[in-house]
C-alpha cells in the first residue's frame, strides 16, 4: 500500500460522499474537510497503516477517529448560520464516512 496516496485517496472518496450527502453545503464542507484532513494527516496515515496490517481492530480505528471530532471545527460551514446541533450531527456523519472509506480502502469487497 502506497502510504503517500492514502490521504489523497481518502480525500477523493470523501468528496464523492459529501457531494451526495450534503449537496447544499458541498463547497463549505470540502474546505473544512480539507483543513481537518491536513491537520490529522499524520495520525490518519498511521492509523490506516496499523489497521491494514492488523494492529488495529475496526472498533479501535473507529474510537480513534471519533477522538478527532474536536479537531473538526467546520468553521466555514458554521459561518453560514447552521446550528451547533446540526454541525455536531454533520461532524459525526463525516467521521462515519471517513471510517467507512478507510474500511472500504483496506478491506475491499469482492
Amino acid at each position: 500500500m502506497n502510504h503517500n496516496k492514502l490521504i489523497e485517496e481518502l480525500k477523493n472518496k470523501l468528496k464523492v460522499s459529501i457531494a451526495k450527502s450534503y449537496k447544499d453545503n458541498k463547497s463549505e464542507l470540502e474546505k473544512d474537510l480539507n483543513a481537518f484532513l491536513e491537520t490529522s494527516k499524520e495520525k490518519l496515515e498511521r492509523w490506516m497503516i496499523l489497521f491494514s496490517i492488523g494492529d488495529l481492530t475496526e472498533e479501535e480505528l473507529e474510537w480513534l477517529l471519533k477522538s478527532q471530532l474536536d479537531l473538526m471545527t467546520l468553521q466555514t460551514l458554521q459561518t453560514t448560520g447552521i446550528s451547533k446541533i446540526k454541525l455536531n450531527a454533520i461532524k459525526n456523519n463525516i467521521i462515519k464516512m471517513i471510517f467507512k472509506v478507510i474500511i472500504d480502502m483496506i478491506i475491499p469487497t469482492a
Side-chain angles (χ1 to χ4, degrees):
M1 182 174 288
N2 186 339
H3 304 268
N4 297 327
K5 293 188 179 182
L6 288 175
I7 295 298
E8 280 308 310
E9 188 174 346
L10 181 61
K11 280 182 185 180
N12 292 333
K13 290 184 182 217
L14 285 172
K15 282 182 185 180
V16 171
S17 292
I18 284 174
K20 290 178 185 174
S21 301
Y22 298 102
K23 292 175 187 169
D24 296 340
N25 303 105
K26 180 183 168 223
S27 62
E28 293 92 347
L29 273 173
E30 282 184 5
K31 289 176 191 173
D32 289 333
L33 185 61
N34 285 334
F36 170 72
L37 290 174
E38 206 49 47
T39 303
S40 303
K41 182 178 181 176
E42 289 180 25
K43 289 178 185 176
L44 290 171
E45 286 177 343
R46 183 175 51 237
W47 296 341
M48 290 170 74
I49 292 164
L50 289 172
F51 180 69
S52 71
I53 61 174
D55 285 352
L56 279 180
T57 65
E58 284 187 31
E59 292 80 17
E60 291 168 329
L61 176 63
E62 185 175 22
W63 184 87
L64 289 168
L65 288 170
K66 286 180 180 178
S67 75
Q68 299 299 292
L69 272 175
D70 289 337
L71 293 178
M72 190 182 306
T73 59
L74 300 182
Q75 195 66 41
T76 308
L77 190 59
Q78 191 172 6
T79 61
T80 65
I82 291 180
S83 72
K84 281 192 174 192
I85 293 170
K86 187 165 184 177
L87 280 172
N88 286 334
I90 291 170
K91 286 167 54 171
N92 281 316
N93 287 337
I94 290 172
I95 291 293
K96 288 176 187 175
M97 282 183 204
I98 292 171
F99 178 71
K100 182 179 179 349
V101 168
I102 290 173
I103 296 298
D104 291 347
M105 285 171 54
I106 308 289
I107 308 172
T109 54

